[in-house]
Amino acid sequence: MDLLKLNLQFFAADGGSTGGGEPSGDSNNNGDNGKGDNGNTEPNNSGDKDPIPYDRFKQVNDNYKDMKTKYDELLQQQQQADEDAKKKQGEYETLYTELKEKHDPLSQEFTQYKETFQEILKGKLETVPENMRDLIPQGNELEQLKWIENATNKGLFKQDNPQSFGNGGTNPDTTSGDSKKDQQSFLKSLSKF
């Protein structure tokens, strides 16, 4: 009976490990089906060759749970620290507003004093003769004012009235005739020397 010869290699899922003939005709295959599983028919769902031991799985899982609880604790501590910082920030803001209320009037008063001081210094500088202004030290305005006051008290900036030479401080052309005679006699006496 020679009916139909069937090629069984098309029907074999694992290359003939369940029986039947060898599709390639290779007799020294040693159970290797070309997939690298050495003819092992057990399904391996994990992708690893060996299953994970329970002790190792438990160790990794316990470690994960410990780290998760520590992480949750750290998050909770950080949230508490943020809340405390916000509370302190609120306290600092109240302190800041209190100090600002005290400081602003003082600042305004200081600027008024400074403006008045600069006006006084400007007035004192105007009393100093032009040829003496180079003597005033450069630097702090307070030191300049002290120096001007000391110099004025010691008489450095006094302008002496010129001594009168007999004409009473008037121009010789506007004097009377007697004073002209006196001047001429004075000039004659000077010419003798």
Side-chain angles (χ1 to χ4, degrees):
M1 290 207 344
D2 220 18
L3 292 172
L4 293 169
K5 284 190 168 184
L6 295 175
N7 192 354
L8 293 179
Q9 75 183 22
F10 293 115
F11 297 106
D14 60 353
S17 63
T18 57
E22 291 185 70
S24 63
D26 223 5
S27 62
N28 54 2
N29 200 0
N30 294 333
D32 189 11
N33 62 4
K35 294 182 182 177
D37 61 357
N38 292 331
N40 190 0
T41 59
E42 293 181 0
N44 197 351
N45 294 336
S46 67
D48 293 335
K49 293 181 180 179
D50 295 327
I52 298 173
Y54 178 74
D55 293 336
R56 176 70 178 141
F57 172 76
K58 186 174 183 337
Q59 179 186 9
V60 170
N61 196 21
D62 290 344
N63 189 16
Y64 170 75
K65 288 179 182 177
D66 289 341
M67 295 303 277
K68 176 112 173 97
T69 56
K70 287 179 183 178
Y71 176 73
D72 290 339
E73 289 174 4
L74 283 174
L75 282 178
Q76 193 174 25
Q77 288 175 357
Q78 187 176 11
Q79 289 173 350
Q80 185 66 33
D82 289 343
E83 289 175 9
D84 292 344
K86 288 178 182 177
K87 287 179 185 176
K88 286 182 182 180
Q89 181 67 26
E91 292 173 8
Y92 289 135
E93 286 178 4
T94 57
L95 287 173
Y96 172 75
T97 55
E98 289 174 6
L99 288 175
K100 187 174 181 181
E101 289 172 359
K102 290 179 184 177
H103 179 264
D104 284 344
L106 291 176
S107 176
Q108 292 171 353
E109 195 172 322
F110 174 74
T111 55
Q112 290 174 349
Y113 284 133
K114 189 169 183 172
E115 289 172 358
T116 305
F117 177 77
Q118 288 175 343
E119 289 175 12
I120 292 171
L121 179 63
K122 185 178 178 182
K124 291 286 186 176
L125 283 172
E126 289 175 357
T127 62
V128 176
E130 280 291 325
N131 60 349
M132 298 282 200
R133 288 189 184 172
D134 293 340
L135 299 175
I136 299 173
Q138 300 297 321
N140 190 336
E141 292 174 340
L142 184 62
E143 291 175 5
Q144 288 178 349
L145 184 63
K146 284 181 183 179
W147 190 88
I148 291 171
E149 285 295 319
N150 287 337
T152 304
N153 290 340
K154 292 182 181 179
L156 181 64
F157 301 133
K158 279 188 179 178
Q159 293 182 354
D160 295 330
N161 291 333
Q163 290 182 348
S164 175
F165 292 108
N167 63 359
T170 59
N171 195 346
D173 294 336
T174 60
T175 58
S176 65
D178 291 335
S179 63
K180 285 185 179 179
K181 288 181 184 176
D182 289 339
Q183 285 178 350
Q184 287 176 355
S185 63
F186 178 71
L187 288 174
K188 283 184 185 177
S189 63
L190 281 178
S191 63
K192 292 180 184 176
F193 290 108

